[in-house]
Amino acid sequence: MDNLPVLVAGGGIGGLSVALTLHQIGVPCIVLESVANLRPLGVGINLQPNAVRELEELGIGPAVLDTIGVQAREWALVGLNGNDVYSEPRGLLAGYRWPQYAVHRGALQMLLYEAAVERLGAGAIRTGHQVTGYRRHGDEGVTALIATHDGRYLEMRGSLLIGVDGLHSAVRAQMHPHQPPIHWGGAIMWRGTTLGRPIRTGASFVGLGTHRQRVVFYPISSADPATGLATINWIAEITVDSAGGWRGGDWNRKVDVESIIPHFRAWTYDWLDVPAMLRGADEVFEYPMIDRDPIPTWVDGPVALLGDAAHVMYPTGSNGATQAVIDARVLGAAMIEHGVTACALHAYDAQLREDVGGVVLRNRGAGPFGLLNLLDERCGGVFDDIDAVIPPGEREAFMSRYKVAAGFAMEKLNAATPIIASGARVGGEAPACCSTMSS
Ligand SMILES: Cc1cc2nc3c(=O)[nH]c(=O)nc-3n(C[C@H](O)[C@H](O)[C@H](O)COP(=O)(O)OP(=O)(O)OC[C@H]3O[C@@H](n4cnc5c(N)ncnc54)[C@H](O)[C@@H]3O)c2cc1C
C-alpha cells in the first residue's frame, strides 16, 4: 500500500491542483485524464483571493498569473436602464492580501498542466486515459478501471482514488448510482470573447440587466498599450421555460451569434453596444446553467470526489474553479493530519461538503445576482434612485452573506493561517482511526 500512488481521475483545474498539492506534500500520484491532447478550452473564469493565495503557496503567484489574466478591481451590477445597482472593489483594492484574477480557463489549465509535468514528470500525467469506474479492496486500496484513447482497457492500482472528472463524473456515477439527473433551472448562457475597450476601472466585472436576462462581461487580458483593446469575456444569458427539460450539451457546443442577437438587440448604451460586443466574438458557445443536487457523501472508502465532480454549481458566484483549488488544499491538509488514508478523505468531506452544498443551492437562487431579483420584486427593475429601492446597508449585507458562505470573506481570509503550513509533508505512521477503509 505504501508504495501505491494516489490516482487522480481528471486533469482539469481541480485534478491538476490535487497533483501539485500532493507533490508538494510528498505523496506520489498519477493523473488519469480522458482527453488525449489537452487544449486550452473554455472562456473566462475568476479566481477568488482564497484560491490565488493557495496557488501562490504552490509557487504559482501573481507574477505567473499576470501572464494569463488580469487582477480584478471591481464587481458591479447595472440595471437595464444603465444605472448602477451595486458596486464594490475587488481583490487588493478591496483590502484582500491576495488579488482576484480573471483568467482564460484554458490558459490556467495549461499553466497547471505544464507545472505538473515539470514537477511530477510526464509519466505522472497520463492523457488519453478515461476512468470508467473503480473496485475497492478493503484496507488494500483501490483499482481504477480505465479505457484508453487507443481502445485498450487497463486497470491501475492505487492507495486512494480522487474523482475530479467534472460534471459527468464516472466516479460519482458509481458512488451514487441513484443520484438525480442533472438539474437545469431554465437559464441558457452563451459565452464568448471579443476584443474591446475595457470600461469603468479597466478591470471591472459588470452584470447588466435583470435576473432573467443579463449580460456579464469582464476583461481577461490587459489592454494592449498600442490599441487600448483587451480580451473581453462575455456571458449573455436568458431564462426560458425549463418544463421541456435540459436538452443536453457541454462546454463546447458552438452556436451562430446571429441566433442570439435578437434577445439583446435593444441593449445599446453610450458606454456599451451589446450586440456589437457579441458579434465581435470569433466563436460563441452555448451552455445551459446546470448543476447537481448536493449528495450525502463525497467519499466511498478509499475513493473521494473533488471539484465539479463533487459539487458542480451555477457559475453565478464565480467560484467553481476557486472551490476546486480550495478542495485540493483541504484534501492535502487532511492527508498531512491523517496520512494517505480513507480517514483523510472523511476529514476532507466533513470539513467541506455541507458548506459547499450550501453554496450550490445558494447559487441556484442567483448567488450574488440575487440583488437583481430583489430589485425586480420591489420595482420591476425600473428605478431612478437605487437607495430608495434597496438601501446601501441592505445591499452590502446581501453581498457579505454570499462571501461568507463561499469562503472568501475578507477579514476571515486575511487572518487565516495557510491551509497547508509551509514545508509540511506527509510522513510517519497513519493514526489508528485509519485502519479501516469502510465508508
Ligand atoms: C472543456 C471545458 C471548458 C470549460 N469552460 C469553462 C468556462 O468557459 N467557464 C467556466 O466558468 N467554467 C468552464 N469549465 C468548468 C470549469 O473548468 C470548472 O467548473 C472548474 O474549473 C472546476 O474544475 P474541475 O477540475 O473540477 O472540472 P473540469 O474543469 O470540468 O475538469 C474535469 C477534467 O476531467 C476530465 N475527465 C472527464 N471525465 C473523465 C474521466 N472519466 N476520466 C478521466 N478524466 C476525465 C476532463 O477532460 C477534464 O479535463 C469548463 C470545463 C471544461 C472541461
Side-chain angles (χ1 to χ4, degrees):
M1 272 281 288
D2 280 354
N3 298 325
L4 291 175
V6 171
L7 304 178
V8 180
I13 289 159
L16 294 168
S17 300
V18 171
L20 291 168
T21 297
L22 295 185
H23 176 261
Q24 184 182 47
I25 63 175
V27 176
C29 75
I30 292 180
V31 176
L32 304 163
E33 162 59 48
S34 60
V35 167
N37 294 303
L38 279 184
R39 288 182 300 124
L41 297 177
V43 286
I45 56 171
N46 273 267
L47 283 172
Q48 302 295 342
N50 50 343
V52 172
R53 175 187 198 173
E54 295 307 321
L55 290 175
E56 191 168 1
E57 295 284 330
L58 283 169
I60 300 169
V64 183
L65 294 177
D66 280 340
T67 64
I68 59 155
V70 286
Q71 298 191 6
R73 297 208 191 106
E74 186 193 27
W75 192 93
L77 288 182
V78 180
L80 251 189
N81 55 3
N83 291 348
D84 269 25
V85 174
Y86 178 84
S87 67
E88 63 173 27
R90 279 291 169 111
L92 298 177
L93 273 187
Y96 284 97
R97 286 169 56 200
W98 299 271
Q100 173 181 333
Y101 274 90
V103 301
H104 188 285
R105 181 236 173 230
L108 176 64
Q109 185 184 16
M110 296 315 285
L111 186 88
L112 298 177
Y113 173 66
E114 278 151 24
V117 168
E118 191 185 311
R119 296 180 197 181
L120 283 76
I125 320 290
R126 314 260 172 105
T127 53
H129 282 57
Q130 181 182 12
V131 173
T132 57
Y134 60 85
R135 261 200 322 272
R136 293 174 38 175
H137 305 289
D139 284 354
E140 301 300 318
V142 60
T143 294
L145 312 178
I146 299 160
T148 65
H149 189 62
D150 53 10
R152 288 173 299 135
Y153 292 94
L154 307 177
E155 297 193 351
M156 193 179 290
R157 190 82 176 246
S159 53
L160 302 173
L161 169 65
I162 313 300
V164 205
D165 47 348
L167 169 67
H168 301 291
S169 168
V171 178
R172 175 171 170 141
Q174 178 170 342
M175 191 183 289
H176 295 282
H178 306 297
Q179 67 175 335
I182 284 174
H183 165 267
W184 176 53
I188 300 176
M189 296 179 292
W190 296 288
R191 314 177 67 126
T193 59
T194 297
L195 275 181
R197 211 166 283 281
I199 62 167
R200 298 176 74 110
T201 64
S204 292
F205 175 110
V206 181
L208 163 70
T210 71
H211 68 294
R212 294 186 67 78
Q213 184 172 1
R214 61 181 174 245
V215 175
V216 170
F217 55 96
Y218 51 92
I220 54 171
S221 78
S222 304
D224 180 326
T227 62
L229 301 180
T231 304
I232 309 290
N233 180 72
W234 56 257
I235 302 145
E237 186 187 322
I238 60 164
T239 305
V240 297
D241 181 4
S242 60
W246 176 52
R247 64 173 183 275
D250 224 317
W251 284 101
N252 295 322
R253 197 178 112 78
K254 281 190 201 173
V255 294
D256 177 0
V257 70
E258 291 307 324
S259 68
I260 71 173
I261 293 291
H263 300 289
F264 300 95
R265 201 182 298 284
W267 293 37
T268 52
Y269 304 85
D270 52 6
W271 48 275
L272 179 71
D273 180 338
V274 172
M277 179 173 75
L278 306 189
R279 283 199 175 102
D282 289 340
E283 301 176 308
V284 178
F285 299 96
E286 179 183 287
Y287 188 73
M289 184 94 90
I290 48 183
D291 67 6
R292 287 185 182 277
D293 289 342
I295 37 180
T297 180
W298 292 348
V299 175
D300 175 19
V303 183
L305 302 172
L306 192 143
D308 278 8
H311 49 63
V312 61
M313 53 181 80
Y314 284 7
T316 45
S318 306
N319 58 341
T322 292
Q323 190 59 51
V325 174
I326 299 299
D327 292 356
R329 303 300 285 171
V330 170
L331 178 68
M335 287 190 189
I336 289 167
E337 190 172 345
H338 301 282
V340 183
T341 61
C343 188
L345 304 187
H346 280 286
Y348 150 79
D349 176 272
Q351 185 171 335
L352 290 179
R353 184 180 36 77
E354 213 168 299
D355 286 352
V356 178
V359 177
V360 171
L361 298 179
R362 198 178 274 256
N363 281 8
R364 256 181 213 180
F369 291 100
L371 267 184
L372 293 176
N373 297 14
L374 212 56
L375 188 68
D376 194 57
E377 277 163 26
R378 295 192 185 168
C379 67
V382 181
F383 63 98
D384 286 323
D385 176 11
I386 187 65
D387 290 356
V389 186
I390 313 175
E394 190 180 353
R395 302 198 299 269
E396 266 141 40
F398 183 95
M399 286 303 292
S400 63
R401 277 197 300 278
Y402 185 80
K403 282 183 267 188
V404 168
F408 46 92
M410 188 171 72
E411 291 77 16
K412 200 169 163 204
L413 176 65
N414 282 351
T417 53
I419 296 176
I420 295 178
S422 172
R425 290 174 73 83
V426 169
E429 287 291 301
C433 73
C434 304
S435 58
T436 57
M437 284 284 190
S438 58
S439 52

